[in-house]
Amino acid sequence: MDDPVRLAIVGCGGMGRRHLAGLAELSHTPHMNLDLVAVCDLNRQNAEDLADEAHELLGERPHVFGDAEKMVRDVDGLEAADCPTDTGSHHRAATQLLELGLHTLCEKPLALTVRGCRRIIEAAEKSGRILSVAENYRRDPMNRLVRALLDDGAIGDRQFMSETDIGGRDSILITPWRHMKMSGTITLDAGVHNADILQYYFGDAERAFGQVRLYEKTRVRRNTDGPGGFYAKWAANMPESIEATGEDAIFGQITFANGALGQWINHHAGHGDPVHARRVFGTRGSITSPGDRNGRPVRLYLDDGPEIADQRILEYAPSYRLEPAAAALFGGERIWHYNFDFPTTDRKLLALEYHELANCVRTGTQPEVTGKVALRDVALVYALFESDRAGRPVSIDEVESSAVDAYQRDIDEQLGLLQPTAAGV
Ligand SMILES: NC(=O)c1ccc[n+]([C@@H]2O[C@H](COP(=O)([O-])OP(=O)(O)OC[C@H]3O[C@@H](n4cnc5c(N)ncnc54)[C@H](O)[C@@H]3O)[C@@H](O)[C@H]2O)c1
């Protein structure tokens, strides 16, 4: 590995552990281009534990810190930081890392509100450092394949997309903070992935009409281990039940800038039969996407033709080609399916985020998901909330600029991003 980028992980909770597994995955390929030299968390135990895990997985124990400023003072030549802290802290934590001169990979959603996102983007612009946002779903080879099919005209022109997730009943989903308006409710936390996929497939959204609901006001402890079992070590901290304050279901109609339409349901209080369905309709056919991180085949349906769900689908996507690191991790540059379990798939996608960050640092190029792209994703989620408050469709531009912000104002006031006296102005 020539000239690896010297990296710190700041935020050593569940996602910090998953990111470390991603780094270890990358280290088993010829594409490894980073050196983990420090870990940092306000919770010292979480940082110490992650350093131990890094020692096991990477062979060297990174230095441990409880404060990013001290870390930058004490670690020679630190260049980049990965920021998987909880969402409500991104506007402070990622801003601080950029101001300290570190290229920063921030977990999604970029921030808890649109104003929070803009603060981080301004810090990146002022410091001249790279800001990349860890949006993993679009990096799934099956999403790359769908995008190539659409770009290559396999189903004609884009017409309509439907994105539906229903399930979750009244369980606490991963952590209690994911059910609170003031710390990042589940429809933002999970929904921002879908907002990104909607815009990755169909381009920028222009307008949206939304309705949002808080269906399950009391949520109860069920699965404490979280995705891939990464949260099991904190199971003892999980309360038996919580009183939720953040909306757990959002329903939207979207108009994209290219004139196509979208219908989006992100419903985390669904009972009975769960639904996960992503379908794209064009002027000549449709595509059924398998969803994310499962590797099942994409299905192509052309008018008067058979269903195509095997390698023949590649004939309709001549431009589909994974980048070298993705091809190495997933076993080929034009794969039409893959067969890894969830933790393996998860760490391969996170490996790609790291690889891209280090590549951008060394080449001075911009990442795929910049602050601007990630802001647009957060704005699309909040467009549904703001539309519900305003009782009318809203443009994504007016949400992105905070011209329409009634839902987010009290969050911004609590985060110190808006003076309370300015509320209502
Ligand atoms: N891409 C994905 O698939 C995916 C999955 C899960 C979580 N996430 C995202 O990852 C982020 C973290 O989620 P999580 O589930 O790991 O949360 P978590 O609550 O498990 O962990 C957050 C950690 O950050 C630490 N922290 C908070 N502020 C800090 C600061 N200023 N400096 C240092 N450490 C700080 C906390 O002490 C804690 O250890 C969230 O933004 C979440 O949306 C993404």
Side-chain angles (χ1 to χ4, degrees):
M1 175 175 49
D2 292 337
D3 196 18
V5 168
R6 287 169 66 77
L7 172 83
I9 297 180
V10 178
C12 307
M15 203 53 189
R17 297 187 68 206
R18 285 166 66 181
H19 278 216
L20 175 64
L23 197 59
E25 183 75 15
L26 186 62
S27 76
H28 299 131
T29 74
H31 299 275
M32 180 63 165
N33 52 1
L34 304 108
D35 189 7
L36 180 66
V37 291
V39 296
C40 174
D41 197 301
L42 302 178
N43 177 326
R44 184 83 190 187
Q45 192 57 51
N46 285 356
E48 293 286 354
D49 290 351
L50 198 75
D52 289 343
E53 262 187 71
H55 192 193
E56 265 172 50
L57 291 172
L58 298 168
E60 288 201 34
R61 194 173 196 274
H63 299 288
V64 175
F65 295 90
D67 168 40
E69 222 175 301
K70 181 165 166 39
M71 174 179 77
V72 170
R73 265 201 318 272
D74 289 2
V75 178
D76 280 344
L78 188 60
E79 298 173 270
D82 171 24
C83 184
T85 64
D86 47 278
T87 301
S89 64
H90 288 180
H91 67 288
R92 283 192 311 274
T95 298
Q96 183 192 27
L97 295 168
L98 289 159
E99 286 173 352
L100 287 168
L102 300 176
H103 301 288
T104 299
L105 173 66
C106 183
E107 252 304 339
K108 50 48 61 177
L110 177 54
L112 185 49
T113 63
V114 163
R115 278 193 182 83
C117 294
R118 290 208 305 270
R119 172 165 291 189
I120 299 170
I121 292 169
E122 278 161 26
E125 283 168 356
K126 267 198 205 138
S127 69
R129 295 299 186 266
I130 288 159
L131 169 61
S132 176
V133 181
E135 191 42 78
N136 44 352
Y137 283 25
R138 63 163 66 202
R139 294 178 199 275
D140 186 318
M142 297 306 103
N143 282 325
R144 297 299 202 204
L145 174 56
V146 174
R147 170 68 187 262
L149 287 164
L150 291 169
D151 288 351
D152 293 343
I155 58 167
D157 296 332
R158 293 164 168 89
Q159 208 170 58
F160 172 73
M161 174 167 173
S162 123
E163 174 81 356
T164 304
D165 287 281
I166 305 175
R169 46 197 285 213
D170 60 349
S171 306
I172 299 174
L173 301 172
I174 312 183
T175 52
W177 64 253
R178 285 177 167 82
H179 295 288
M180 307 299 169
K181 177 177 179 183
M182 294 297 168
S183 55
T185 194
I186 188 71
T187 40
L188 170 68
D189 194 66
V192 77
H193 286 301
N194 307 86
D196 187 68
I197 287 292
L198 282 156
Q199 299 193 92
Y200 178 62
Y201 280 14
F202 266 37
D204 275 359
E206 192 176 74
R207 275 192 313 282
F209 174 73
Q211 292 183 288
V212 305
R213 295 288 182 273
L214 170 51
Y215 284 131
E216 295 294 347
K217 296 196 173 72
T218 302
R219 290 214 167 230
V220 301
R221 170 184 162 127
R222 286 203 179 86
N223 172 8
T224 50
D225 292 356
F230 281 96
Y231 293 78
K233 66 178 262 213
W234 295 285
N237 303 342
M238 173 82 89
E240 287 303 322
S241 72
I242 58 169
E243 295 308 307
T245 57
E247 283 75 357
D248 50 23
I250 60 179
F251 306 86
Q253 299 285 343
I254 300 165
T255 309
F256 292 89
N258 60 13
L261 299 177
Q263 188 175 53
W264 179 24
I265 299 172
N266 200 251
H267 182 350
H268 297 275
H271 293 263
D273 192 20
V275 183
H276 298 284
R278 179 177 298 154
R279 293 195 172 184
V280 186
F281 297 84
T283 50
R284 286 206 304 271
S286 73
I287 296 170
T288 299
S289 163
D292 315 290
R293 299 180 291 191
N294 61 51
R296 289 196 287 269
V298 175
R299 295 175 182 276
L300 175 63
Y301 301 83
L302 298 175
D303 292 341
D304 306 322
E307 171 191 341
I308 302 169
D310 55 29
Q311 63 188 4
R312 288 173 301 155
I313 203 166
L314 298 174
E315 292 165 23
Y316 297 85
S319 71
Y320 171 57
R321 191 151 281 106
L322 299 177
E323 37 133 351
L329 285 159
F330 282 91
E333 57 176 14
R334 278 170 62 75
I335 57 169
W336 56 274
H337 70 124
Y338 61 84
N339 191 14
F340 302 114
D341 62 11
F342 174 84
T344 308
T345 306
D346 189 48
R347 57 181 188 254
K348 287 178 188 295
L349 297 176
L350 301 176
L352 291 172
E353 296 171 349
Y354 275 131
H355 179 262
E356 186 202 41
L357 175 76
N359 191 43
C360 290
V361 171
R362 284 291 170 263
T363 59
T365 48
Q366 283 296 312
E368 178 173 338
V369 185
T370 57
K372 193 167 167 272
V373 173
L375 166 62
R376 197 78 186 172
D377 292 339
V378 171
L380 176 53
V381 177
Y382 274 121
L384 271 48
F385 285 79
E386 298 297 353
S387 165
D388 184 284
R389 275 288 168 96
R392 63 168 176 86
V394 296
S395 75
I396 312 305
D397 282 347
E398 61 188 342
V399 179
E400 192 177 299
S401 66
S402 298
V404 174
D405 67 347
Y407 179 86
Q408 295 165 82
R409 263 185 227 159
D410 51 349
I411 314 177
D412 281 331
E413 287 174 13
Q414 181 179 284
L415 297 184
L417 291 163
L418 186 65
Q419 291 304 314
T421 47
V425 172

